[in-house]
Amino acid sequence: MGDPAALANTDSIHDGTEDADPLHVLNRRHFLAVKSHFRQRKHEALLALAVEDPGRPVNLMNDTLLHVVIACNKTDLAKSIILQMPVETLAAKNLYGDTALHVAAAVGNSEVARELFGKREDLIGEQNLKQETPLHKAAFYGHHDMFWCLVDEGNGSPYERREDGATMLHCAIMGNEPGLALEIAEHFPLLITSRNTMAVTPLQLMVTVPGLFRSQMELGGFESILHDFIPLEKDSHRTRRRDEEEAGGSSNDAGQAEAAEQDDHEYFGRHRTIRSRFPSCCCTLVDILVFPVKWVRLFLFFIIRTLYPRTRHLEKIKRTHRKALELIEFLARDPRNMEFYVLGRMQGDGGAPAAGFRERGGRQDQLNAPAASTRRWNEPPLILGAQMGIPEFVSTILRVCPEAATYLDTRGRSVLQVAIEHGNREIVRTIREMTQGKNPILPSWLLSRVDKGTGRTILHFASANAPEHNQDALQMQDELRWFETVRDMVPKELVYSRNAQEMTAEEMFTKSHQALLKSCKVQLMETGRLCSGLIAAVVFASSFSIPGDKDPATGNPVYFGRAAFKVFSHAYVIGLSCAATSLVLFLSLAMSPNKEQQFRRIIPTKYFFARSSFGFAMLSFLVAFTCNIYLQLYGWQKTKSKDLIPFVLELTVFPVNCFLVLFFRGFTFDIPFLFRSWR
């Protein structure tokens, strides 16, 4: 049976109600025997070991043989062991307090789970040291069939909480499984407004999971193109709650709901298809034209998916992003939920209290404010999304629930002020579009609001902060353009409004961006010094020689009539001209005063031409030197393909391979950087 000390330690661990010391004694003979049987697939020997002593620990995690068999996905062997094990031994727990059903729920083995709770139903309600039930495990790992199997055939409650107060909906979101989370929210609507011990709701929790949003993921150039190319069909899976409602509802009610849904989509501009952009009389023609394109795209995607296995991973990522947006829409659709987020919490929801918030036109005192460590979660989900810089999260909430923009955070800031203060420009652009027009969705006071305590407008928010770490010589241009964008949003009478310190927004901008201005000047000089040195090394330090000797009869080079010589001569002259231009422009940048407003137009323009001419000079010299080498090697004879092909391969194979590897591994070309000075 093993060492007595180990068995005593096992008993304390199996209790599952208090922490225990890890198992310090390992029966190596038993461990190696089990490992050997697994490697040699001796299932009968493993079954004999399980029947002989079902509760015997196998490893230092205190797993029983049944735990290990289920974790290895040996379904038939696990079912055989379960049938021959005594009922009382099925509840054996490992070091973390997990039963065999916890392990089956984590790996998603529904067959083994049915055998377990078919023989002992109370396993579904068993908790580990974190107070997790098998339902929590299934929700966290996103096993759809397993979760609903436990809900339908078991006696476990879907409203159970972990020790941190997390519900099944919290677990599904933390496990990056928005599809299952959406089904849980639809089937158990009370979980939508549930809070954990830190007073975090499911909608607030979503902003902390970067994998749910496309804007939070860094994909390379090739993978970004492939991600956008992946076709996803409309999800035809109907959730359990919708099936039940449609089974009990009438077709008339369904038609009215569908019409209301369509009106809602048209008003808020969501899910616009190609057909909706044309008159109804043209829909048939549009379908005829789109149908072949759709199938061609599916065919190309099938080929790419076969040749590039990572496409499956990107497809899963894109499906997760789509499901995340659907989940946000469902959680934020009801305006009453938004009031719950900003006015406090319901009694008995198991979470810490949340603070009250000031609403425009009135003020409420804080209701049972939590500790300072949970201050972050006092903010509404919309404010959190603006702080974290998740544009799709914010735009989705604003589309389905525009009322959310009327609430302020604990510091009295609107969502627009928060987005501007954190420099989230795409969110600001979205809010600006929704405040324009004759009948805007969002109220115009978001643009004209003045903070009562500090007297700051949104233009003051835009000018208050500068980047702490600057790695771009033209960062000042971005800041000036950003300031101008917000200035265009502010009503004219507030452009030169003064705050409590009697400072206009422009004065604040100048004061807060002094360090950035100095940093940009230094980087311009360093860039000019580096490029000038490279040009000098290539042009003046390189020996210049015309390929071939001179013809005694004419005095011209012997290769004067060859096409390669003409390319060489023109490329070298162009390179020399571009190099001289680049040197002069970089010298001008180093000697100019570089004042603040000059970074808006003149300095970026000089910098653009200096960099462009430097690039053209390097490219021209490369072409000239290539032609020179070619003439020196093959200029004395007529060019043949057997000579030309090796020469081209020697020049291009290694650079092309490097480019392809970098492109597939995430390298991107920052082409917009070259042209942004013209905007």
Side-chain angles (χ1 to χ4, degrees), residues 183-330:
E183 296 185 28
I184 295 174
E186 289 180 331
H187 199 71
F188 307 108
L190 292 180
L191 297 181
I192 296 176
T193 54
S194 61
R195 295 182 184 270
N196 60 16
T197 54
M198 298 296 291
V200 185
T201 63
L203 189 57
Q204 291 172 316
L205 185 64
M206 291 186 70
V207 302
T208 65
V209 185
L212 294 175
F213 306 103
R214 173 65 181 90
S215 62
Q216 303 300 299
M217 299 196 65
E218 291 292 337
L219 297 178
F222 174 75
E223 291 188 346
S224 296
I225 297 173
L226 187 57
H227 178 276
D228 297 335
F229 178 77
I230 293 175
L232 287 183
E233 296 293 334
K234 291 184 178 180
D235 193 1
S236 60
H237 175 74
R238 306 184 68 86
T239 58
R240 302 155 57 89
R241 181 173 178 83
R242 290 176 181 172
D243 287 338
E244 295 172 0
E245 290 178 352
E246 290 179 1
S250 62
S251 60
N252 188 24
D253 294 339
Q256 293 178 356
E258 185 177 356
E261 182 85 5
Q262 182 65 26
D263 293 341
D264 184 55
H265 285 282
E266 289 295 332
Y267 180 76
F268 292 110
R270 298 199 311 272
H271 307 303
R272 291 198 64 188
T273 61
I274 297 178
R275 299 177 83 255
S276 65
R277 301 177 183 178
F278 293 90
S280 57
C281 60
C282 301
C283 289
T284 304
L285 179 61
V286 173
D287 291 338
I288 294 175
L289 295 176
V290 171
F291 184 76
V293 176
K294 174 183 176 182
W295 282 103
V296 169
R297 183 181 181 185
L298 289 175
F299 177 73
L300 292 176
F301 172 68
F302 175 77
I303 296 177
I304 296 174
R305 187 178 183 183
T306 304
L307 299 177
Y308 189 58
R310 185 168 168 78
T311 307
R312 300 176 184 272
H313 177 65
L314 294 175
E315 185 180 7
K316 181 180 179 181
I317 290 175
K318 188 171 183 177
R319 197 177 301 278
T320 299
H321 296 161
R322 174 177 289 187
K323 283 295 183 181
L325 297 182
E326 294 178 6
L327 177 60
I328 296 170
E329 286 190 9
F330 185 82

Side-chain angles (χ1 to χ4, degrees), residues 467-513:
E468 296 182 359
H469 304 287
N470 176 41
Q471 298 180 352
D472 186 0
L474 296 183
Q475 183 64 40
M476 194 66 187
Q477 184 198 23
D478 285 344
E479 295 297 314
L480 288 168
R481 189 187 299 116
W482 170 241
F483 181 81
E484 292 177 0
T485 301
V486 179
R487 185 175 60 189
D488 294 339
M489 298 169 55
V490 178
K492 190 174 181 179
E493 64 271 13
L494 296 178
V495 172
Y496 297 104
S497 175
R498 298 182 178 272
N499 59 9
Q501 288 77 32
E502 291 297 323
M503 295 181 66
T504 63
E506 291 188 2
E507 293 173 341
M508 286 187 62
F509 183 90
T510 301
K511 181 179 179 181
S512 61
H513 288 74

Side-chain angles (χ1 to χ4, degrees), residues 113-178:
R114 288 189 179 93
E115 291 289 338
L116 284 169
F117 60 70
K119 194 171 182 180
R120 183 166 179 173
E121 295 182 356
D122 61 339
L123 287 178
I124 297 180
E126 286 290 333
Q127 298 179 341
N128 59 16
L129 295 181
K130 296 182 179 180
Q131 299 181 9
E132 292 176 326
T133 65
L135 274 172
H136 289 98
K137 290 284 188 180
F140 186 85
Y141 287 98
H143 298 304
H144 173 274
D145 295 335
M146 170 62 70
F147 181 85
W148 293 113
C149 173
L150 295 175
V151 171
D152 291 342
E153 302 185 22
N155 55 5
S157 172
Y159 297 99
E160 291 286 343
R161 294 175 178 269
R162 304 194 313 181
E163 65 177 357
D164 59 357
T167 63
M168 312 297 170
L169 186 55
H170 286 91
C171 290
I173 293 174
M174 286 187 291
N176 202 10
E177 298 293 340

Side-chain angles (χ1 to χ4, degrees), residues 430-626:
T430 300
I431 297 175
R432 182 184 185 182
E433 293 174 355
M434 300 180 74
T435 56
Q436 294 176 341
K438 296 181 179 180
N439 186 23
I441 301 174
L442 299 183
S444 59
W445 62 261
L446 290 172
L447 306 178
S448 60
R449 187 173 184 276
V450 179
D451 190 83
K452 295 181 180 179
T454 61
R456 296 195 299 175
T457 63
I458 60 173
L459 192 57
H460 286 90
F461 279 93
S463 61
N465 298 322
E468 296 182 359
H469 304 287
N470 176 41
Q471 298 180 352
D472 186 0
L474 296 183
Q475 183 64 40
M476 194 66 187
Q477 184 198 23
D478 285 344
E479 295 297 314
L480 288 168
R481 189 187 299 116
W482 170 241
F483 181 81
E484 292 177 0
T485 301
V486 179
R487 185 175 60 189
D488 294 339
M489 298 169 55
V490 178
K492 190 174 181 179
E493 64 271 13
L494 296 178
V495 172
Y496 297 104
S497 175
R498 298 182 178 272
N499 59 9
Q501 288 77 32
E502 291 297 323
M503 295 181 66
T504 63
E506 291 188 2
E507 293 173 341
M508 286 187 62
F509 183 90
T510 301
K511 181 179 179 181
S512 61
H513 288 74
Q514 290 179 352
L516 178 62
L517 179 63
K518 182 178 180 181
S519 175
C520 290
K521 292 179 180 179
V522 172
Q523 293 196 36
L524 282 175
M525 296 182 65
E526 291 180 352
T527 304
R529 187 181 301 112
L530 175 63
C531 294
S532 301
L534 289 175
I535 292 175
V538 173
V539 179
F540 301 108
S542 300
S543 59
F544 176 78
S545 62
I546 298 177
D549 300 328
K550 289 185 178 182
D551 188 353
T554 61
N556 295 326
V558 293
Y559 302 129
F560 188 76
R562 301 290 296 273
F565 186 83
K566 293 180 180 180
V567 173
F568 162 78
S569 59
H570 293 304
Y572 203 93
V573 173
I574 292 173
L576 185 61
S577 174
C578 291
T581 303
S582 179
L583 283 173
V584 172
L585 289 174
F586 277 121
L587 183 62
S588 175
L589 285 172
M591 297 179 62
S592 61
N594 297 337
K595 296 181 180 179
E596 178 183 296
Q597 290 302 321
Q598 289 181 326
F599 273 91
R600 182 63 183 95
R601 295 290 182 187
I602 184 61
I603 291 179
T605 304
K606 286 183 180 179
Y607 192 62
F608 166 76
F609 281 113
R611 287 167 55 97
S612 300
S613 57
F614 175 78
F616 282 125
M618 295 296 102
L619 181 61
S620 299
F621 286 135
L622 179 62
V623 173
F625 294 156
T626 302

Side-chain angles (χ1 to χ4, degrees), residues 348-376:
D349 69 348
F357 297 89
R358 292 193 296 123
E359 194 175 358
R360 187 173 186 270
R363 180 185 180 90
Q364 284 191 333
D365 295 332
Q366 290 188 346
L367 306 175
N368 302 323
S373 60
T374 62
R375 184 71 61 188
R376 172 189 188 186

